[in-house]
């Protein structure tokens, strides 16, 4: 072995050491890369505005005036002379009668007296009573509604509380009463009357009922 050969190993060791250091430096982790910026979630879309409801039609708050009817009655003393409801007076065989504009039948009135129609039972006791215009014709009975006619063209109904309604021309005409005449019991409503008449009538349901009213003044 030559002299140069003796000095070669240290040189080789140095070279190996340098290579090893380089390899180590290459194996070290590089500086950490910056973390990517977080991606913001998209904001939720705003709700679309609800479609506006169509405006409600205007409501007419004006109350409907009750119907007014023009009927004849019997005068109660002198009170009818000053009653604002009276529009005129009509003559007849039993004297003049006030014609008044009313919304309900005057059942207990200081100026106007209706003709009464009374329903009574087999014992002769009054069980129901209606008022009707002076000398109006009784033409039908349906439950609590009594039908009457003031002339050939105008018919109406009323109930025991005094409500009034017109029977329109398009309504079926109420049947004429089949009313056999009866002997009258002593009824308080007609205690002072000389014109009381009593009848056995069939109502709209076919039920037989007993009615009393005053006949036409003569």
């Amino acid at each position: 072995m030559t002299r140069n050969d003796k000095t070669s190993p240290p040189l080789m060791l140095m070279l190996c050491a340098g290579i090893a250091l380089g390899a180590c430096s290459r194996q070290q982790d590089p500086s950490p890369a910056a973390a990517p910026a977080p991606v913001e979630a998209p904001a939720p879309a705003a709700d679309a505005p609800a479609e506006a409801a169509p405006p409600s039609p205007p409501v007419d708050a004006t109350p409907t005036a009750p119907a007014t009817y023009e009927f004849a009655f019997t005068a109660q003393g002198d009170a009818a002379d000053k009653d604002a409801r009276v529009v005129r007076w009509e003559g007849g065989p039993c004297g003049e009668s006030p014609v008044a504009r009313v919304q309900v039948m005057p059942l207990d009135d200081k100026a106007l007296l209706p003709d009464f129609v009374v329903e009574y039972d087999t014992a002769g006791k009054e069980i129901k009573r209606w008022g009707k215009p002076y000398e109006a014709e009784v033409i039908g009975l349906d439950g609590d509604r009594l039908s009457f006619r003031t002339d050939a063209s105008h018919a109406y109904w009323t109930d025991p509380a005094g409500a009034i309604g017109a029977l329109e021309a398009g309504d079926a005409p109420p049947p004429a009463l089949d009313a056999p005449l009866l002997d009258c019991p002593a009824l308080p409503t007609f205690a002072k009357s000389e014109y009381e008449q009593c009848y056995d009538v069939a109502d709209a349901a076919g039920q037989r009922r007993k009615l009393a009213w005053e006949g036409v003044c003569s």
Side-chain angles (χ1 to χ4, degrees), residues 11-47:
L11 179 61
M12 293 296 294
L13 290 172
M14 293 177 63
L15 290 174
C16 288
I19 293 171
L21 287 174
C24 290
S25 62
R26 286 196 300 269
Q27 290 177 357
Q28 291 178 355
D29 293 337
S31 299
V39 179
E40 294 184 1
D47 293 337

Side-chain angles (χ1 to χ4, degrees), residues 66-73 83-88 98-106 109 112 164:
T68 301
Y69 303 92
E70 198 169 289
F71 295 141
F73 298 99
D83 196 297
R85 296 168 295 176
V86 176
V87 294
R88 66 181 183 276
V99 177
R101 290 176 180 158
V102 297
Q103 295 174 348
V104 295
M105 200 65 68
D109 196 274
L112 306 175
I164 306 171

Side-chain angles (χ1 to χ4, degrees), residues 130 132 137-142 145-149 155-158 167 174-175 177:
W130 299 264
K132 67 179 182 64
E137 180 187 3
V138 177
I139 57 175
L141 183 60
D142 186 357
R145 288 188 174 186
L146 180 83
S147 299
F148 60 88
R149 183 164 41 218
Y156 307 86
W157 62 263
T158 187
L167 295 175
L177 287 178

